[in-house]
Amino acid sequence: MTQDEAKRTAARRALEFVEDGMALGLGSGTTSAMFIQELGERVKGGLKVHGIATSAASQKLAESLSIPMTTFEETPALDLAIDGADEVGPGLALIKGGGGALLREKIVESAAKKFIVIADGSKLVKQLGKFPLPVEVVKMALPLVTHRLEALGLNPKLRHHKDGSVYLTDENNFILDCSAGVIADPAKTAADIRSIVGVVEHGLFLNMASFALIASDQGVVEVGR
């Protein structure tokens, strides 16, 4: 099974948890895009759902597939959120934000009664930290936050596009990608980062996921806390 096939398998398995009438949080990234595509086929077949997207790209994809979209003003609570992850560690501690949508992802997933992670087996790790930890930062505070993150030993690096231009989030903020190595204590690292004035959000998602659907050649395994 290729990585893309594994992602598609996890996405299809997640559809089993979607029920008629649900309000859904729609994640971002390649695996989530596959879920949205599969959901679009179900909607075309008569499934009645409505969703809130975690990024402009996911919103555009969902709308192109005629998936009804809503807002938190209309729908303040979600039944289910489904999203990918860059790393899935012990206790379902996650690193997310490789695609730059960490703030909206955390908002949407915090509003859901249940949050299911979908991923291929390569995302399952024994300790978080090999994947760079994203930190979203207000533009004005970039030098200050960079200095504070350096002092924490997190080795921040400003994110750029492949063409060399500076990456901006949907909220027009910068992202610092932190090469932290092994994150031995995710809760402490999360608290240290959040204490820095000018940080909007970080990519550590702790105690948020209900369970993860991890796909590999052996099929889909449900991983709990």
Side-chain angles (χ1 to χ4, degrees):
M1 185 183 292
T2 66
Q3 188 176 35
D4 280 348
E5 287 170 341
K7 291 177 179 180
R8 181 76 63 179
T9 299
R12 286 174 175 161
R13 176 66 179 276
L15 276 174
E16 297 177 13
F17 296 89
V18 176
E19 299 176 5
D20 205 59
M22 275 188 165
L24 302 174
L26 304 179
S28 301
T30 55
T31 311
S32 294
M34 292 179 184
F35 172 79
I36 294 170
Q37 290 163 0
E38 297 290 335
L39 180 65
E41 289 299 313
R42 291 280 303 277
V43 168
K44 190 185 298 182
L47 178 70
K48 303 294 184 184
V49 296
H50 51 288
I52 294 179
T54 59
S55 66
S58 292
Q59 175 92 14
K60 184 178 179 180
L61 176 60
E63 289 174 344
S64 74
L65 298 169
S66 300
I67 298 171
M69 303 302 288
T70 184
T71 66
F72 282 124
E73 287 183 344
E74 300 169 343
T75 311
L78 301 174
D79 298 296
L80 176 64
I82 295 176
D83 201 356
D86 298 303
E87 286 188 342
V88 180
L92 290 184
L94 312 174
I95 287 181
K96 291 176 49 57
L102 59 155
L103 175 58
R104 290 193 186 185
E105 288 173 342
K106 197 166 280 189
I107 291 170
V108 168
E109 283 138 30
S110 69
K113 297 173 185 175
K114 184 181 291 184
F115 167 33
I116 300 174
V117 177
I118 50 176
D120 64 272
S122 70
K123 303 300 192 296
L124 201 59
V125 298
K126 293 182 179 179
Q127 285 186 299
L128 297 179
K130 184 176 181 181
F131 190 91
L133 173 63
V135 178
E136 187 165 343
V137 181
V138 173
K139 288 180 179 179
M140 176 188 177
L142 181 66
L144 304 177
V145 175
T146 299
H147 179 71
R148 289 286 304 277
L149 292 173
E150 288 172 345
L152 291 172
L154 295 177
N155 304 307
K157 183 178 180 182
L158 184 63
R159 184 179 296 189
H160 291 77
H161 291 286
K162 290 181 180 179
D163 65 5
S165 59
V166 176
Y167 181 92
L168 293 173
T169 68
D170 286 344
E171 285 71 38
N172 207 36
N173 295 317
F174 291 137
I175 285 186
L176 289 167
D177 288 307
C178 298
S179 300
V182 171
I183 301 176
D185 188 342
K188 183 179 185 304
T189 298
D192 287 343
I193 295 172
R194 286 303 297 269
S195 72
I196 302 172
V197 177
V199 167
V200 179
E201 192 51 85
H202 58 75
L204 285 167
F205 284 54
L206 309 178
N207 303 312
M208 293 186 68
S210 303
F211 57 90
L213 298 173
I214 307 295
S216 67
D217 291 338
Q218 285 71 48
V220 179
V221 177
E222 185 175 315
V223 177
R225 293 184 189 178

